[in-house]
PDB file of all heavy atoms in Angstrom:
ATOM      1  N   HIS A   1     121.939 157.721 103.879  1.00 74.00           N
ATOM      2  CA  HIS A   1     122.706 158.946 104.046  1.00 74.00           C
ATOM      3  C   HIS A   1     124.204 158.662 104.057  1.00 74.00           C
ATOM      4  O   HIS A   1     124.663 157.572 104.440  1.00 74.00           O
ATOM      5  CB  HIS A   1     122.313 159.644 105.352  1.00 74.00           C
ATOM      6  CG  HIS A   1     120.866 159.998 105.427  1.00 74.00           C
ATOM      7  ND1 HIS A   1     120.320 161.061 104.741  1.00 74.00           N
ATOM      8  CD2 HIS A   1     119.836 159.423 106.098  1.00 74.00           C
ATOM      9  CE1 HIS A   1     119.032 161.129 104.981  1.00 74.00           C
ATOM     10  NE2 HIS A   1     118.707 160.149 105.805  1.00 74.00           N
ATOM     11  N   SER A   2     124.968 159.649 103.653  1.00 72.00           N
ATOM     12  CA  SER A   2     126.422 159.550 103.732  1.00 72.00           C
ATOM     13  C   SER A   2     126.831 159.372 105.185  1.00 72.00           C
ATOM     14  O   SER A   2     126.388 160.103 106.067  1.00 72.00           O
ATOM     15  CB  SER A   2     127.070 160.818 103.160  1.00 72.00           C
ATOM     16  OG  SER A   2     128.464 160.755 103.275  1.00 72.00           O
ATOM     17  N   GLY A   3     127.641 158.363 105.434  1.00 69.00           N
ATOM     18  CA  GLY A   3     128.093 158.111 106.793  1.00 69.00           C
ATOM     19  C   GLY A   3     127.181 157.230 107.607  1.00 69.00           C
ATOM     20  O   GLY A   3     127.517 156.860 108.740  1.00 69.00           O
ATOM     21  N   GLU A   4     125.994 156.873 107.051  1.00 68.00           N
ATOM     22  CA  GLU A   4     125.081 156.010 107.794  1.00 68.00           C
ATOM     23  C   GLU A   4     125.700 154.635 108.009  1.00 68.00           C
ATOM     24  O   GLU A   4     126.247 154.032 107.091  1.00 68.00           O
ATOM     25  CB  GLU A   4     123.754 155.866 107.047  1.00 68.00           C
ATOM     26  CG  GLU A   4     122.763 154.945 107.745  1.00 68.00           C
ATOM     27  CD  GLU A   4     121.468 154.779 106.965  1.00 68.00           C
ATOM     28  OE1 GLU A   4     121.189 155.653 106.113  1.00 68.00           O
ATOM     29  OE2 GLU A   4     120.760 153.796 107.193  1.00 68.00           O
ATOM     30  N   GLN A   5     125.611 154.145 109.218  1.00 66.00           N
ATOM     31  CA  GLN A   5     126.164 152.841 109.554  1.00 66.00           C
ATOM     32  C   GLN A   5     125.028 151.820 109.663  1.00 66.00           C
ATOM     33  O   GLN A   5     123.942 152.133 110.123  1.00 66.00           O
ATOM     34  CB  GLN A   5     126.929 152.907 110.882  1.00 66.00           C
ATOM     35  CG  GLN A   5     128.140 153.813 110.826  1.00 66.00           C
ATOM     36  CD  GLN A   5     129.174 153.374 109.800  1.00 66.00           C
ATOM     37  OE1 GLN A   5     129.572 152.204 109.775  1.00 66.00           O
ATOM     38  NE2 GLN A   5     129.600 154.296 108.966  1.00 66.00           N
ATOM     39  N   PHE A   6     125.290 150.618 109.217  1.00 63.00           N
ATOM     40  CA  PHE A   6     124.322 149.540 109.368  1.00 63.00           C
ATOM     41  C   PHE A   6     125.104 148.237 109.433  1.00 63.00           C
ATOM     42  O   PHE A   6     126.187 148.094 108.866  1.00 63.00           O
ATOM     43  CB  PHE A   6     123.329 149.502 108.199  1.00 63.00           C
ATOM     44  CG  PHE A   6     123.954 149.801 106.853  1.00 63.00           C
ATOM     45  CD1 PHE A   6     124.649 148.839 106.155  1.00 63.00           C
ATOM     46  CD2 PHE A   6     123.855 151.080 106.322  1.00 63.00           C
ATOM     47  CE1 PHE A   6     125.224 149.125 104.927  1.00 63.00           C
ATOM     48  CE2 PHE A   6     124.433 151.371 105.095  1.00 63.00           C
ATOM     49  CZ  PHE A   6     125.125 150.400 104.397  1.00 63.00           C
ATOM     50  N   GLY A   7     124.577 147.285 110.164  1.00 60.00           N
ATOM     51  CA  GLY A   7     125.284 146.020 110.342  1.00 60.00           C
ATOM     52  C   GLY A   7     124.311 144.878 110.457  1.00 60.00           C
ATOM     53  O   GLY A   7     123.175 144.949 110.008  1.00 60.00           O
ATOM     54  N   ARG A   8     124.729 143.817 111.089  1.00 58.00           N
ATOM     55  CA  ARG A   8     123.922 142.606 111.178  1.00 58.00           C
ATOM     56  C   ARG A   8     122.655 142.806 111.993  1.00 58.00           C
ATOM     57  O   ARG A   8     121.710 142.037 111.888  1.00 58.00           O
ATOM     58  CB  ARG A   8     124.762 141.479 111.776  1.00 58.00           C
ATOM     59  CG  ARG A   8     125.889 141.039 110.847  1.00 58.00           C
ATOM     60  CD  ARG A   8     126.913 140.167 111.562  1.00 58.00           C
ATOM     61  NE  ARG A   8     127.974 139.749 110.660  1.00 58.00           N
ATOM     62  CZ  ARG A   8     129.000 140.506 110.307  1.00 58.00           C
ATOM     63  NH1 ARG A   8     129.093 141.733 110.784  1.00 58.00           N
ATOM     64  NH2 ARG A   8     129.920 140.052 109.485  1.00 58.00           N
ATOM     65  N   ASP A   9     122.625 143.847 112.826  1.00 57.00           N
ATOM     66  CA  ASP A   9     121.453 144.095 113.649  1.00 57.00           C
ATOM     67  C   ASP A   9     120.440 145.010 112.958  1.00 57.00           C
ATOM     68  O   ASP A   9     119.380 145.287 113.500  1.00 57.00           O
ATOM     69  CB  ASP A   9     121.866 144.712 114.989  1.00 57.00           C
ATOM     70  CG  ASP A   9     122.614 146.038 114.814  1.00 57.00           C
ATOM     71  OD1 ASP A   9     123.124 146.277 113.705  1.00 57.00           O
ATOM     72  OD2 ASP A   9     122.687 146.801 115.782  1.00 57.00           O
ATOM     73  N   SER A  10     120.758 145.472 111.754  1.00 72.00           N
ATOM     74  CA  SER A  10     119.839 146.347 111.024  1.00 72.00           C
ATOM     75  C   SER A  10     118.965 145.485 110.119  1.00 72.00           C
ATOM     76  O   SER A  10     119.205 145.363 108.915  1.00 72.00           O
ATOM     77  CB  SER A  10     120.621 147.369 110.196  1.00 72.00           C
ATOM     78  OG  SER A  10     119.753 148.235 109.518  1.00 72.00           O
ATOM     79  N   GLU A  11     117.944 144.889 110.683  1.00 78.00           N
ATOM     80  CA  GLU A  11     117.129 143.925 109.950  1.00 78.00           C
ATOM     81  C   GLU A  11     116.420 144.549 108.759  1.00 78.00           C
ATOM     82  O   GLU A  11     116.299 143.920 107.703  1.00 78.00           O
ATOM     83  CB  GLU A  11     116.117 143.277 110.892  1.00 78.00           C
ATOM     84  CG  GLU A  11     116.747 142.419 111.983  1.00 78.00           C
ATOM     85  CD  GLU A  11     115.707 141.727 112.845  1.00 78.00           C
ATOM     86  OE1 GLU A  11     114.507 141.839 112.506  1.00 78.00           O
ATOM     87  OE2 GLU A  11     116.090 141.094 113.838  1.00 78.00           O
ATOM     88  N   VAL A  12     115.947 145.770 108.921  1.00 78.00           N
ATOM     89  CA  VAL A  12     115.242 146.424 107.819  1.00 78.00           C
ATOM     90  C   VAL A  12     116.175 146.625 106.629  1.00 78.00           C
ATOM     91  O   VAL A  12     115.836 146.295 105.494  1.00 78.00           O
ATOM     92  CB  VAL A  12     114.663 147.781 108.264  1.00 78.00           C
ATOM     93  CG1 VAL A  12     114.108 148.554 107.071  1.00 78.00           C
ATOM     94  CG2 VAL A  12     113.567 147.574 109.305  1.00 78.00           C
ATOM     95  N   ARG A  13     117.383 147.145 106.890  1.00 83.00           N
ATOM     96  CA  ARG A  13     118.328 147.367 105.798  1.00 83.00           C
ATOM     97  C   ARG A  13     118.735 146.048 105.144  1.00 83.00           C
ATOM     98  O   ARG A  13     118.843 145.960 103.917  1.00 83.00           O
ATOM     99  CB  ARG A  13     119.568 148.094 106.313  1.00 83.00           C
ATOM    100  CG  ARG A  13     119.382 149.598 106.504  1.00 83.00           C
ATOM    101  CD  ARG A  13     119.027 150.291 105.218  1.00 83.00           C
ATOM    102  NE  ARG A  13     119.038 151.752 105.351  1.00 83.00           N
ATOM    103  CZ  ARG A  13     118.354 152.560 104.573  1.00 83.00           C
ATOM    104  NH1 ARG A  13     117.571 152.085 103.624  1.00 83.00           N
ATOM    105  NH2 ARG A  13     118.422 153.870 104.738  1.00 83.00           N
ATOM    106  N   LEU A  14     118.943 145.010 105.927  1.00 85.00           N
ATOM    107  CA  LEU A  14     119.354 143.736 105.351  1.00 85.00           C
ATOM    108  C   LEU A  14     118.265 143.171 104.441  1.00 85.00           C
ATOM    109  O   LEU A  14     118.566 142.605 103.382  1.00 85.00           O
ATOM    110  CB  LEU A  14     119.692 142.742 106.466  1.00 85.00           C
ATOM    111  CG  LEU A  14     120.939 143.090 107.292  1.00 85.00           C
ATOM    112  CD1 LEU A  14     121.148 142.063 108.398  1.00 85.00           C
ATOM    113  CD2 LEU A  14     122.175 143.185 106.418  1.00 85.00           C
ATOM    114  N   ARG A  15     117.003 143.334 104.824  1.00 86.00           N
ATOM    115  CA  ARG A  15     115.905 142.899 103.944  1.00 86.00           C
ATOM    116  C   ARG A  15     115.891 143.736 102.664  1.00 86.00           C
ATOM    117  O   ARG A  15     115.634 143.221 101.571  1.00 86.00           O
ATOM    118  CB  ARG A  15     114.558 143.028 104.658  1.00 86.00           C
ATOM    119  CG  ARG A  15     114.327 141.999 105.749  1.00 86.00           C
ATOM    120  CD  ARG A  15     112.849 141.929 106.119  1.00 86.00           C
ATOM    121  NE  ARG A  15     112.334 143.190 106.603  1.00 86.00           N
ATOM    122  CZ  ARG A  15     112.351 143.566 107.875  1.00 86.00           C
ATOM    123  NH1 ARG A  15     112.880 142.771 108.794  1.00 86.00           N
ATOM    124  NH2 ARG A  15     111.851 144.734 108.238  1.00 86.00           N
ATOM    125  N   GLN A  16     116.190 145.025 102.809  1.00 88.00           N
ATOM    126  CA  GLN A  16     116.203 145.888 101.637  1.00 88.00           C
ATOM    127  C   GLN A  16     117.369 145.544 100.712  1.00 88.00           C
ATOM    128  O   GLN A  16     117.231 145.618  99.487  1.00 88.00           O
ATOM    129  CB  GLN A  16     116.260 147.342 102.092  1.00 88.00           C
ATOM    130  CG  GLN A  16     114.982 147.790 102.783  1.00 88.00           C
ATOM    131  CD  GLN A  16     115.087 149.169 103.397  1.00 88.00           C
ATOM    132  OE1 GLN A  16     116.179 149.700 103.583  1.00 88.00           O
ATOM    133  NE2 GLN A  16     113.958 149.763 103.729  1.00 88.00           N
ATOM    134  N   PHE A  17     118.514 145.181 101.270  1.00 91.00           N
ATOM    135  CA  PHE A  17     119.643 144.773 100.439  1.00 91.00           C
ATOM    136  C   PHE A  17     119.291 143.508  99.653  1.00 91.00           C
ATOM    137  O   PHE A  17     119.677 143.354  98.487  1.00 91.00           O
ATOM    138  CB  PHE A  17     120.881 144.522 101.296  1.00 91.00           C
ATOM    139  CG  PHE A  17     121.440 145.778 101.925  1.00 91.00           C
ATOM    140  CD1 PHE A  17     122.241 145.697 103.065  1.00 91.00           C
ATOM    141  CD2 PHE A  17     121.179 147.028 101.407  1.00 91.00           C
ATOM    142  CE1 PHE A  17     122.758 146.838 103.652  1.00 91.00           C
ATOM    143  CE2 PHE A  17     121.688 148.177 101.991  1.00 91.00           C
ATOM    144  CZ  PHE A  17     122.475 148.071 103.121  1.00 91.00           C
ATOM    145  N   LYS A  18     118.576 142.590 100.278  1.00 92.00           N
ATOM    146  CA  LYS A  18     118.136 141.372  99.580  1.00 92.00           C
ATOM    147  C   LYS A  18     117.272 141.758  98.385  1.00 92.00           C
ATOM    148  O   LYS A  18     117.457 141.224  97.275  1.00 92.00           O
ATOM    149  CB  LYS A  18     117.358 140.460 100.526  1.00 92.00           C
ATOM    150  CG  LYS A  18     116.817 139.195  99.865  1.00 92.00           C
ATOM    151  CD  LYS A  18     116.043 138.355 100.862  1.00 92.00           C
ATOM    152  CE  LYS A  18     115.539 137.072 100.206  1.00 92.00           C
ATOM    153  NZ  LYS A  18     114.627 137.299  99.075  1.00 92.00           N
ATOM    154  N   ARG A  19     116.346 142.668  98.610  1.00 91.00           N
ATOM    155  CA  ARG A  19     115.499 143.140  97.517  1.00 91.00           C
ATOM    156  C   ARG A  19     116.333 143.764  96.416  1.00 91.00           C
ATOM    157  O   ARG A  19     116.100 143.527  95.219  1.00 91.00           O
ATOM    158  CB  ARG A  19     114.501 144.160  98.073  1.00 91.00           C
ATOM    159  CG  ARG A  19     113.714 144.925  97.031  1.00 91.00           C
ATOM    160  CD  ARG A  19     112.911 146.035  97.692  1.00 91.00           C
ATOM    161  NE  ARG A  19     112.365 146.967  96.713  1.00 91.00           N
ATOM    162  CZ  ARG A  19     111.803 148.131  97.012  1.00 91.00           C
ATOM    163  NH1 ARG A  19     111.723 148.507  98.280  1.00 91.00           N
ATOM    164  NH2 ARG A  19     111.345 148.930  96.072  1.00 91.00           N
ATOM    165  N   LEU A  20     117.331 144.548  96.778  1.00 94.00           N
ATOM    166  CA  LEU A  20     118.193 145.223  95.813  1.00 94.00           C
ATOM    167  C   LEU A  20     118.991 144.216  94.996  1.00 94.00           C
ATOM    168  O   LEU A  20     119.113 144.343  93.773  1.00 94.00           O
ATOM    169  CB  LEU A  20     119.127 146.172  96.558  1.00 94.00           C
ATOM    170  CG  LEU A  20     120.069 147.050  95.748  1.00 94.00           C
ATOM    171  CD1 LEU A  20     119.295 147.990  94.836  1.00 94.00           C
ATOM    172  CD2 LEU A  20     120.981 147.849  96.686  1.00 94.00           C
ATOM    173  N   ILE A  21     119.550 143.211  95.655  1.00 96.00           N
ATOM    174  CA  ILE A  21     120.338 142.180  94.971  1.00 96.00           C
ATOM    175  C   ILE A  21     119.481 141.412  93.982  1.00 96.00           C
ATOM    176  O   ILE A  21     119.870 141.197  92.828  1.00 96.00           O
ATOM    177  CB  ILE A  21     120.973 141.233  96.006  1.00 96.00           C
ATOM    178  CG1 ILE A  21     122.056 141.966  96.799  1.00 96.00           C
ATOM    179  CG2 ILE A  21     121.550 139.987  95.342  1.00 96.00           C
ATOM    180  CD1 ILE A  21     122.433 141.275  98.097  1.00 96.00           C
ATOM    181  N   ASP A  22     118.300 140.994  94.415  1.00 95.00           N
ATOM    182  CA  ASP A  22     117.408 140.241  93.528  1.00 95.00           C
ATOM    183  C   ASP A  22     116.953 141.096  92.348  1.00 95.00           C
ATOM    184  O   ASP A  22     116.874 140.609  91.214  1.00 95.00           O
ATOM    185  CB  ASP A  22     116.198 139.739  94.318  1.00 95.00           C
ATOM    186  CG  ASP A  22     116.552 138.643  95.314  1.00 95.00           C
ATOM    187  OD1 ASP A  22     117.647 138.059  95.179  1.00 95.00           O
ATOM    188  OD2 ASP A  22     115.746 138.379  96.221  1.00 95.00           O
ATOM    189  N   ALA A  23     116.665 142.384  92.602  1.00 94.00           N
ATOM    190  CA  ALA A  23     116.218 143.264  91.522  1.00 94.00           C
ATOM    191  C   ALA A  23     117.326 143.497  90.505  1.00 94.00           C
ATOM    192  O   ALA A  23     117.080 143.496  89.289  1.00 94.00           O
ATOM    193  CB  ALA A  23     115.739 144.595  92.097  1.00 94.00           C
ATOM    194  N   ALA A  24     118.561 143.703  90.979  1.00 96.00           N
ATOM    195  CA  ALA A  24     119.683 143.904  90.058  1.00 96.00           C
ATOM    196  C   ALA A  24     119.934 142.651  89.234  1.00 96.00           C
ATOM    197  O   ALA A  24     120.230 142.730  88.033  1.00 96.00           O
ATOM    198  CB  ALA A  24     120.937 144.282  90.849  1.00 96.00           C
ATOM    199  N   THR A  25     119.807 141.485  89.856  1.00 96.00           N
ATOM    200  CA  THR A  25     119.980 140.225  89.134  1.00 96.00           C
ATOM    201  C   THR A  25     118.938 140.083  88.032  1.00 96.00           C
ATOM    202  O   THR A  25     119.262 139.711  86.895  1.00 96.00           O
ATOM    203  CB  THR A  25     119.878 139.039  90.108  1.00 96.00           C
ATOM    204  OG1 THR A  25     120.909 139.144  91.100  1.00 96.00           O
ATOM    205  CG2 THR A  25     120.035 137.714  89.372  1.00 96.00           C
ATOM    206  N   GLU A  26     117.688 140.389  88.369  1.00 95.00           N
ATOM    207  CA  GLU A  26     116.615 140.269  87.378  1.00 95.00           C
ATOM    208  C   GLU A  26     116.812 141.248  86.222  1.00 95.00           C
ATOM    209  O   GLU A  26     116.515 140.923  85.073  1.00 95.00           O
ATOM    210  CB  GLU A  26     115.254 140.492  88.041  1.00 95.00           C
ATOM    211  CG  GLU A  26     114.851 139.400  89.024  1.00 95.00           C
ATOM    212  CD  GLU A  26     114.877 138.015  88.392  1.00 95.00           C
ATOM    213  OE1 GLU A  26     114.352 137.860  87.270  1.00 95.00           O
ATOM    214  OE2 GLU A  26     115.443 137.092  89.013  1.00 95.00           O
ATOM    215  N   ARG A  27     117.326 142.445  86.529  1.00 95.00           N
ATOM    216  CA  ARG A  27     117.618 143.408  85.461  1.00 95.00           C
ATOM    217  C   ARG A  27     118.677 142.842  84.533  1.00 95.00           C
ATOM    218  O   ARG A  27     118.584 142.966  83.301  1.00 95.00           O
ATOM    219  CB  ARG A  27     118.083 144.732  86.067  1.00 95.00           C
ATOM    220  CG  ARG A  27     116.977 145.638  86.558  1.00 95.00           C
ATOM    221  CD  ARG A  27     116.467 146.587  85.471  1.00 95.00           C
ATOM    222  NE  ARG A  27     117.507 147.535  85.118  1.00 95.00           N
ATOM    223  CZ  ARG A  27     117.716 148.693  85.748  1.00 95.00           C
ATOM    224  NH1 ARG A  27     116.946 149.045  86.772  1.00 95.00           N
ATOM    225  NH2 ARG A  27     118.661 149.506  85.368  1.00 95.00           N
ATOM    226  N   GLY A  28     119.721 142.256  85.094  1.00 95.00           N
ATOM    227  CA  GLY A  28     120.781 141.671  84.276  1.00 95.00           C
ATOM    228  C   GLY A  28     120.267 140.560  83.388  1.00 95.00           C
ATOM    229  O   GLY A  28     120.659 140.437  82.217  1.00 95.00           O
ATOM    230  N   ILE A  29     119.362 139.756  83.930  1.00 94.00           N
ATOM    231  CA  ILE A  29     118.779 138.664  83.153  1.00 94.00           C
ATOM    232  C   ILE A  29     117.933 139.230  82.015  1.00 94.00           C
ATOM    233  O   ILE A  29     118.027 138.786  80.867  1.00 94.00           O
ATOM    234  CB  ILE A  29     117.937 137.754  84.066  1.00 94.00           C
ATOM    235  CG1 ILE A  29     118.845 137.016  85.053  1.00 94.00           C
ATOM    236  CG2 ILE A  29     117.129 136.756  83.237  1.00 94.00           C
ATOM    237  CD1 ILE A  29     118.099 136.292  86.143  1.00 94.00           C
ATOM    238  N   SER A  30     117.116 140.223  82.318  1.00 94.00           N
ATOM    239  CA  SER A  30     116.245 140.803  81.295  1.00 94.00           C
ATOM    240  C   SER A  30     117.034 141.504  80.201  1.00 94.00           C
ATOM    241  O   SER A  30     116.595 141.554  79.042  1.00 94.00           O
ATOM    242  CB  SER A  30     115.263 141.788  81.940  1.00 94.00           C
ATOM    243  OG  SER A  30     115.939 142.929  82.445  1.00 94.00           O
ATOM    244  N   GLU A  31     118.228 142.029  80.551  1.00 93.00           N
ATOM    245  CA  GLU A  31     119.059 142.728  79.572  1.00 93.00           C
ATOM    246  C   GLU A  31     120.032 141.793  78.866  1.00 93.00           C
ATOM    247  O   GLU A  31     120.760 142.212  77.967  1.00 93.00           O
ATOM    248  CB  GLU A  31     119.817 143.867  80.268  1.00 93.00           C
ATOM    249  CG  GLU A  31     118.884 144.979  80.764  1.00 93.00           C
ATOM    250  CD  GLU A  31     119.599 146.035  81.575  1.00 93.00           C
ATOM    251  OE1 GLU A  31     120.862 145.985  81.647  1.00 93.00           O
ATOM    252  OE2 GLU A  31     118.925 146.914  82.145  1.00 93.00           O
ATOM    253  N   GLY A  32     120.083 140.538  79.278  1.00 91.00           N
ATOM    254  CA  GLY A  32     120.835 139.524  78.552  1.00 91.00           C
ATOM    255  C   GLY A  32     122.285 139.327  78.942  1.00 91.00           C
ATOM    256  O   GLY A  32     122.980 138.538  78.312  1.00 91.00           O
ATOM    257  N   TRP A  33     122.781 140.025  79.969  1.00 93.00           N
ATOM    258  CA  TRP A  33     124.186 139.852  80.335  1.00 93.00           C
ATOM    259  C   TRP A  33     124.368 139.067  81.627  1.00 93.00           C
ATOM    260  O   TRP A  33     125.489 138.917  82.114  1.00 93.00           O
ATOM    261  CB  TRP A  33     124.897 141.203  80.445  1.00 93.00           C
ATOM    262  CG  TRP A  33     124.203 142.251  81.245  1.00 93.00           C
ATOM    263  CD1 TRP A  33     123.404 143.239  80.780  1.00 93.00           C
ATOM    264  CD2 TRP A  33     124.254 142.431  82.674  1.00 93.00           C
ATOM    265  NE1 TRP A  33     122.947 144.028  81.811  1.00 93.00           N
ATOM    266  CE2 TRP A  33     123.463 143.557  82.981  1.00 93.00           C
ATOM    267  CE3 TRP A  33     124.919 141.765  83.708  1.00 93.00           C
ATOM    268  CZ2 TRP A  33     123.291 144.020  84.285  1.00 93.00           C
ATOM    269  CZ3 TRP A  33     124.748 142.234  85.006  1.00 93.00           C
ATOM    270  CH2 TRP A  33     123.943 143.334  85.279  1.00 93.00           C
ATOM    271  N   ALA A  34     123.301 138.529  82.169  1.00 93.00           N
ATOM    272  CA  ALA A  34     123.394 137.711  83.370  1.00 93.00           C
ATOM    273  C   ALA A  34     122.435 136.536  83.260  1.00 93.00           C
ATOM    274  O   ALA A  34     121.476 136.552  82.492  1.00 93.00           O
ATOM    275  CB  ALA A  34     123.065 138.536  84.624  1.00 93.00           C
ATOM    276  N   SER A  35     122.716 135.506  84.034  1.00 92.00           N
ATOM    277  CA  SER A  35     121.864 134.323  84.062  1.00 92.00           C
ATOM    278  C   SER A  35     121.932 133.693  85.452  1.00 92.00           C
ATOM    279  O   SER A  35     122.967 133.747  86.115  1.00 92.00           O
ATOM    280  CB  SER A  35     122.322 133.312  83.007  1.00 92.00           C
ATOM    281  OG  SER A  35     121.646 132.080  83.176  1.00 92.00           O
ATOM    282  N   ARG A  36     120.814 133.127  85.880  1.00 91.00           N
ATOM    283  CA  ARG A  36     120.819 132.356  87.122  1.00 91.00           C
ATOM    284  C   ARG A  36     120.343 130.926  86.883  1.00 91.00           C
ATOM    285  O   ARG A  36     119.984 130.218  87.818  1.00 91.00           O
ATOM    286  CB  ARG A  36     119.950 133.039  88.172  1.00 91.00           C
ATOM    287  CG  ARG A  36     118.545 133.347  87.768  1.00 91.00           C
ATOM    288  CD  ARG A  36     117.748 133.915  88.942  1.00 91.00           C
ATOM    289  NE  ARG A  36     116.517 134.524  88.536  1.00 91.00           N
ATOM    290  CZ  ARG A  36     115.413 133.859  88.150  1.00 91.00           C
ATOM    291  NH1 ARG A  36     115.435 132.537  88.091  1.00 91.00           N
ATOM    292  NH2 ARG A  36     114.316 134.522  87.808  1.00 91.00           N
ATOM    293  N   LYS A  37     120.341 130.509  85.612  1.00 89.00           N
ATOM    294  CA  LYS A  37     119.898 129.162  85.270  1.00 89.00           C
ATOM    295  C   LYS A  37     120.770 128.126  85.962  1.00 89.00           C
ATOM    296  O   LYS A  37     121.995 128.115  85.811  1.00 89.00           O
ATOM    297  CB  LYS A  37     119.957 128.966  83.754  1.00 89.00           C
ATOM    298  CG  LYS A  37     119.388 127.624  83.299  1.00 89.00           C
ATOM    299  CD  LYS A  37     119.390 127.522  81.779  1.00 89.00           C
ATOM    300  CE  LYS A  37     118.783 126.191  81.332  1.00 89.00           C
ATOM    301  NZ  LYS A  37     118.773 126.076  79.848  1.00 89.00           N
ATOM    302  N   GLY A  38     120.143 127.256  86.708  1.00 88.00           N
ATOM    303  CA  GLY A  38     120.883 126.205  87.425  1.00 88.00           C
ATOM    304  C   GLY A  38     121.598 126.695  88.660  1.00 88.00           C
ATOM    305  O   GLY A  38     122.287 125.917  89.331  1.00 88.00           O
TER     306      GLY A  38
END
């Protein structure tokens, strides 16, 4: 939500951000403009 606050104590959100970061990275790799080789 707009204005929602979350920080280091929001374990659920932090796990979800990890999922989001990994998913965005994989999309970039599949589309050819990103790489995580090495």
Side-chain angles (χ1 to χ4, degrees):
H1 301 284
S2 178
E4 178 182 340
Q5 296 299 310
F6 39 80
R8 292 166 180 80
D9 59 340
S10 181
E11 295 183 6
V12 172
R13 281 300 188 204
L14 293 178
R15 288 197 300 271
Q16 292 173 344
F17 292 158
K18 178 181 182 299
R19 170 188 168 191
L20 183 61
I21 291 162
D22 290 344
T25 299
E26 292 305 314
R27 279 271 293 273
I29 292 170
S30 67
E31 293 174 7
W33 48 264
S35 170
R36 54 175 166 75
K37 185 176 182 180

